[in-house]
């Protein structure tokens, strides 16, 4: 039978034929796709005609069409709905795909054709977009080791292959720890109805009776927030922070050490002093010192706020009859009590106004008001019953298919992310994207979100808009293919619309009565936006600085010792842990994406705080002129220009850190 991954897809919108795909189809599909890619690159390299932009760069843009299609399905499924067969295949594929990539960037004939075009670029009459794509291809080849020869080239290929294998192993170890741990709950004291319902749903999903706590963030965080059983909070917190560090076959500490050593070797082979200097060269920040400067400007006021808050929380702990210092498993419990005292805000009373359905509708409505997008639910086969799809249109024109997969399950890795099964491009004919948002919300009937959950939904949808509104010719620069410290701008900026009172007034309606959130509750919610920002900022910056110090110097033989040294030098308050400790720091160790780059959320936040000010200055959160500029210069532009140029075109200048400090309530 014809492999459904390789045959022409006949479904509406050219969606993958999920109902026909079996796990056994993936390995032969990848093999066929890589064979097709090798043949395409060989034809480009062996073309007797002189190199042109069309017969070299544009031909390379289309060489991996089949591989992109197969990989777009597989890697979305391996993250969102893993199983033993997919995990085994991913382990096999990681070194194969790394080797395939090395073959391409080490192909001397391809390198020579790109260099010939680069040398003659001023006479090629290229468009600005084509000139940008040519530069990016050359830079990609050079940074991948195209200039290396002999033993150095061979060693770099070995290093990259091993890193690919280790990244996959790190991710799968983390998923295994998250999947296997649960704590039965015989005592539900303090837990509101929505947490009890989520714990019951988690038990059903795990095939257990009663109620359980799992390591899913949307369940364990509210458990730590509400449970009056301090001993159970400690047990849950310790399990949550021990992910990847439990000994045995799923322990990630040795993997982290090897990854850091190999990254350092990779940077050295390419002529860089440290991996951080190599990695940051192409980002907006440019250097490790620029990153440090930003983070430390925010660290001092954030730490001061956290220390002051800790004193209040510890006093509450002692008032409850507990001796000793405030512990990390106490913070959320007493912070929630303090929030109720200072802002009269009870999350159990708030959540019925923040149903998943209402927040999806709110995100869609804002996109319609800002960019004219319409969303129509689709009844099409998808990869899991929890996944849902919508067609996205504007003025009758098809813009994208959007897939939302919102609920936690044991087959899904933790966190939230946006990905594509197909990216936008125009070369070879208009291709519109298939965009996927993955979240890990606790399932309920109905599903109710915390305010942080709702922010996550808006955040990931901001990434989705970056993909949906992309309007470029070349896939290399499509959508979110931008500098790592720029990619979070659209997502973090979109979170601001959840703070707009008219959005909440319209969509935050009680799930049972349909009544709008009372004005006094809305006012209290918005007034509490910066509550506990000292904690949130400190736990984030601690992770970002550990990431940076891991990569900007000799690789530590013991990453856990290095982590402790960095945190001690910072003076991290004892009751606050890193947001992501090393053994479960998937951003950094599951691949190179955020390595030396976890700071990028804050770098982007400097811009998103300033960018939303443009709407405030216009006096309208939906000002059509500002929204038009946002789409033109940011959301539709992809990586067609340097990030700084794109932002300056939108805002007229680059911002300073002041807007961020003000937005987090940390300004003096």
């Amino acid at each position: 039978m014809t492999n459904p991954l390789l045959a022409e897809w006949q479904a509406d919108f050219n969606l993958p034929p999920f109902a026909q795909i079996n796990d056994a189809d993936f390995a032969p599909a990848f093999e066929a796709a890589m064979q097709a890619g090798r043949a395409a690159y060989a034809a480009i390299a062996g073309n007797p005609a002189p190199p042109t932009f069309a017969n070299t760069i544009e031909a390379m843009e289309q060489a991996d069409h089949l591989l992109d299609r197969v990989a777009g399905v597989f890697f979305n499924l391996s993250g969102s709905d893993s199983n033993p067969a997919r995990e085994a295949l991913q382990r096999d594929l990681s070194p194969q795909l790394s080797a395939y990539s090395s073959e391409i960037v080490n192909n001397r004939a391809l390198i020579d054709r790109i260099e010939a075009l680069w040398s003659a670029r001023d006479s090629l009459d290229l468009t600005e977009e084509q000139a940008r794509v040519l530069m990016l291809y050359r830079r990609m080849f050079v940074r991948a080791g195209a200039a290396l020869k002999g033993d150095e080239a061979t060693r770099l290929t070995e290093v990259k292959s091993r890193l690919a294998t280790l990244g996959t192993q790190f991710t799968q170890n983390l998923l295994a720890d998250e999947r296997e741990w649960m704590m039965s709950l015989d005592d539900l004291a303090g837990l509101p109805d929505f947490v009890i319902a989520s714990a019951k749903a988690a038990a059903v999903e795990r095939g257990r009776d009663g109620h359980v706590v799992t390591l899913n963030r949307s369940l364990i965080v509210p458990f730590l927030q509400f449970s009056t059983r301090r001993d159970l909070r400690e047990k849950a917190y310790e399990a949550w922070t021990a992910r990847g560090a439990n000994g045995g076959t799923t322990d990630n500490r040795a993997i982290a050490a090897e990854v850091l050593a190999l990254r350092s070797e990779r940077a050295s082979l390419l002529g860089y002093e440290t991996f951080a200097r190599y990695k940051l060269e192409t980002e907006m920040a440019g250097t490790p010192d620029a990153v440090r400067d930003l983070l430390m400007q925010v660290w001092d006021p954030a730490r001061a706020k956290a220390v002051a808050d800790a004193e209040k929380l510890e006093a509450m702990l002692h008032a409850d009859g507990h001796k000793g210092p405030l512990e990390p498993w106490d913070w959320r419990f007493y912070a929630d009590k303090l929030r109720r005292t200072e802002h009269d805000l009870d999350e159990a009373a708030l959540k019925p106004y923040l149903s998943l359905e209402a927040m999806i509708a709110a995100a869609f409505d804002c996109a319609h008001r800002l960019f004219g997008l319409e969303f129509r639910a689709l009844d099409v086969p998808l990869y899991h019953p929890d996944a849902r799809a919508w067609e996205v249109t504007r003025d009758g024109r098809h813009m994208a298919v959007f897939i939302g997969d919102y609920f936690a399950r044991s087959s899904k890795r933790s966190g939230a992310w946006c990905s594509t099964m197909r990216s936008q491009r125009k070369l070879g004919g208009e291709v519109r994207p298939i965009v996927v948002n993955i979240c890990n919300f606790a399932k309920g009937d109905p599903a109710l979100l915390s305010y942080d959950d709702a922010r996550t939904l808006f955040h990931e949808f901001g990434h989705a808009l970056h993909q949906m509104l992309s309007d470029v010719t070349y896939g290399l620069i499509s959508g979110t293919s931008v500098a790592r410290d720029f990619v979070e701008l659209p997502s973090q900026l979109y979170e601001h619309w959840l703070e707009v009172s008219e959005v909440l007034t319209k969509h935050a309606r009680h799930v049972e009565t349909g009544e709008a959130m009372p004005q006094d509750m809305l006012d209290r919610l918005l007034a509490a936006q910066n509550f506990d920002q000292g904690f949130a900022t400190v736990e984030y910056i601690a992770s970002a600085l550990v990431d940076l110090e891991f990569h900007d110097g000799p690789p530590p033989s013991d990453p856990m010792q290095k982590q402790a040294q960095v945190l001690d030098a910072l003076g991290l308050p004892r009751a606050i842990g890193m947001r992501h400790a090393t053994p479960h720091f998937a951003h950094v160790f599951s691949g190179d994406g955020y390595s030396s780059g976890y700071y990028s959320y804050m770098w982007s936040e400097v811009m998103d705080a300033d960018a939303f000010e443009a709407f405030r200055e216009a006096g309208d959160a939906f000002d059509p002129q500002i929204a038009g500029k946002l789409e033109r210069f940011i959301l539709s532009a992809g990586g067609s220009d340097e990030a700084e140029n794109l932002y300056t075109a939108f805002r007229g200048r680059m911002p300073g850190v002041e807007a961020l400090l003000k937005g987090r309530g940390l300004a003096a």
Side-chain angles (χ1 to χ4, degrees), residues 82-388:
S82 188
N83 60 33
R86 291 170 188 169
E87 290 183 3
L89 180 56
Q90 193 173 7
R91 291 192 294 270
D92 292 341
L93 281 172
S94 294
Q96 292 179 37
L97 291 171
S98 177
Y100 174 79
S101 175
S102 293
E103 287 176 32
I104 296 166
V105 298
N106 292 331
N107 187 312
R108 180 50 52 185
L110 283 179
I111 296 166
D112 290 344
R113 292 181 76 86
I114 293 170
E115 284 296 336
L117 291 172
W118 181 249
S119 298
R121 62 190 181 279
D122 293 338
S123 63
L124 297 180
D125 194 28
L126 301 178
T127 66
E128 290 184 4
E129 187 176 337
Q130 289 173 330
R132 171 77 173 168
V133 168
L134 173 59
M135 183 279 290
L136 290 173
Y137 263 100
R138 180 178 182 271
R139 187 173 77 180
M140 177 174 64
F141 270 67
V142 170
R143 286 173 56 80
L148 299 183
K149 298 178 181 178
D151 291 344
E152 288 187 333
T154 300
R155 179 54 186 161
L156 184 60
T157 296
E158 294 170 350
V159 165
K160 289 192 288 187
S161 177
R162 180 61 178 161
L163 282 169
T165 297
L166 291 172
T168 297
Q169 187 177 350
F170 188 98
T171 302
Q172 293 186 356
N173 287 350
L174 181 55
L175 178 61
D177 277 5
E178 291 170 345
R179 183 172 52 221
E180 291 169 10
W181 188 90
M182 72 182 80
M183 181 176 70
S184 295
L185 285 179
D186 296 323
D187 189 341
L188 305 176
L191 300 181
D193 289 345
F194 74 87
V195 179
I196 294 172
S198 296
K200 176 66 175 176
V204 171
E205 200 263 339
R206 300 293 182 103
R208 300 287 292 269
D209 295 327
H211 303 80
V212 302
V213 171
T214 69
L215 298 181
N216 171 258
R217 187 178 186 89
S218 288
L219 178 52
I220 198 168
V221 167
F223 176 79
L224 293 170
Q225 188 175 342
F226 293 111
S227 175
T228 58
R229 285 284 301 274
R230 193 183 189 210
D231 59 329
L232 296 183
R233 295 202 311 267
E234 179 181 3
K235 182 178 179 181
Y237 181 86
E238 294 288 7
W240 191 32
T241 55
R243 290 169 295 157
N246 289 303
T249 59
T250 63
D251 198 295
N252 277 331
R253 287 171 287 190
I255 292 175
E258 186 177 355
V259 165
L260 293 173
L262 290 172
R263 285 177 179 163
S264 179
E265 183 181 358
R266 177 182 177 184
S268 180
L269 286 167
L270 293 169
Y272 293 86
E273 185 179 350
T274 68
F275 182 81
R277 294 182 185 279
Y278 160 74
K279 188 68 184 297
L280 294 172
E281 181 184 53
T282 59
E283 308 298 340
M284 293 185 76
T287 67
D289 287 342
V291 173
R292 258 188 223 96
D293 180 60
L294 169 68
L295 295 176
M296 292 310 298
Q297 283 187 67
V298 184
W299 173 261
D300 289 334
R303 183 184 180 280
K305 181 70 168 64
V307 168
D309 288 344
E311 292 177 358
K312 296 180 184 178
L313 303 184
E314 189 166 89
M316 297 171 72
L317 172 77
H318 293 163
D320 277 352
H322 299 293
K323 297 180 180 180
L326 184 76
E327 300 288 357
W329 47 89
D330 296 318
W331 191 291
R332 289 173 175 84
F333 180 77
Y334 286 103
D336 184 71
K337 280 190 168 186
L338 184 62
R339 184 174 69 158
R340 278 182 270 174
T341 299
E342 293 187 349
H343 297 282
D344 191 22
L345 201 60
D346 181 356
E347 187 166 310
L350 178 65
K351 288 190 79 163
Y353 294 95
L354 300 176
S355 72
L356 173 62
E357 298 307 313
M359 294 302 98
I360 292 172
F364 287 178
D365 185 36
C366 290
H368 173 68
R369 295 181 65 182
L370 288 164
F371 311 114
L373 298 179
E374 303 276 0
F375 298 83
R376 179 177 66 89
L378 297 174
D379 183 12
V380 293
L382 296 172
Y383 60 89
H384 191 277
D386 286 345
R388 305 155 63 181

